[in-house]
Amino acid sequence: MKRIPNLFLSTSLQRKFSRSFFLGILASASLVTTSLAFSSQSYAQTPAVNNSVNNTDITSYAQAVLAMETPRQQAFDEIKKLIGGGEIPKIICHDSNSINNLPRRVQDIAVNYCEDSKKIVERNGLTIDRFNKITVELQNDNNLKRQVYNTLIRLQKSPESR
């Protein structure tokens, strides 16, 4: 993701923008986990969450989320155009009914996004299951949120570290 030039933003506005961006990224990650879930298992069948998220996991998670954001926005915009003024349906990648009930073109966009996101997560060193578990942990662990937030900011400031 390209950095936004700081020419016209004051430090206070930069902080507000960074916080807003982070909340958007977390919302996107939650969307990926809840609406576009990748795992072929349901959470009821998933073993208990491993609460130890190390620095490597945090960096991999942040890199994956940043890499998924642009394709997520593009897929959402395409689906929104095709749906028109209607509500965007809930899309769950591992639920064939949620995909099959969509118009054909929307199905194609959703499937492509799911496949691309899975590749992005794996390319960044995480399994889909681990990515989803970290996303769930983020919702309940403020320390982990802070660590991911700081990592997202660091990655945006130095794109060569991604």
Side-chain angles (χ1 to χ4, degrees):
M1 175 171 242
K2 295 182 181 179
R3 290 181 8 195
I4 296 176
N6 297 333
L7 299 174
F8 302 107
L9 296 176
S10 70
T11 304
S12 128
L13 285 176
Q14 288 174 5
R15 279 190 216 127
K16 287 179 185 176
F17 177 76
S18 294
R19 285 188 182 114
S20 296
F21 180 75
F22 175 68
L23 292 174
I25 292 293
L26 281 181
S28 297
S30 293
L31 174 69
V32 167
T33 300
T34 58
S35 296
L36 298 170
F38 304 110
S39 176
S40 61
Q41 301 174 332
S42 69
Y43 282 107
Q45 298 169 329
T46 303
V49 174
N50 178 356
N51 287 328
S52 63
V53 178
N54 62 40
N55 289 334
T56 302
D57 288 343
I58 291 169
T59 299
S60 295
Y61 181 88
Q63 289 170 327
V65 168
L66 286 172
M68 282 189 287
E69 182 58 17
T70 298
R72 184 199 66 81
Q73 286 178 350
Q74 290 171 344
F76 182 83
D77 289 343
E78 288 179 49
I79 291 171
K80 192 174 171 182
K81 286 177 190 171
L82 292 171
I83 299 290
E87 185 176 326
I88 304 296
K90 185 173 184 176
I91 300 168
I92 304 170
C93 292
H94 72 275
D95 179 1
S96 58
N97 288 332
S98 86
I99 302 289
N100 293 337
N101 291 332
L102 298 170
R104 183 70 186 153
R105 181 68 182 120
V106 174
Q107 284 179 20
D108 294 341
I109 294 167
V111 168
N112 287 338
Y113 174 76
C114 291
E115 289 172 358
D116 290 346
S117 293
K118 181 179 182 209
K119 289 175 189 171
I120 289 169
V121 168
E122 291 170 345
R123 202 171 33 239
N124 282 285
L126 295 172
T127 64
I128 297 307
D129 189 48
R130 185 66 176 147
F131 179 88
N132 288 341
K133 287 178 181 180
I134 293 169
T135 300
V136 169
E137 286 186 53
L138 275 171
Q139 297 168 3
N140 300 314
D141 185 339
N142 287 330
N143 184 47
L144 182 58
K145 278 183 194 174
R146 182 184 49 75
Q147 290 175 304
V148 171
Y149 171 79
N150 289 337
T151 302
L152 286 166
I153 297 301
R154 179 179 53 81
L155 290 172
Q156 289 179 57
K157 287 183 179 178
S158 60
E160 64 278 354
S161 69
R162 284 192 252 172

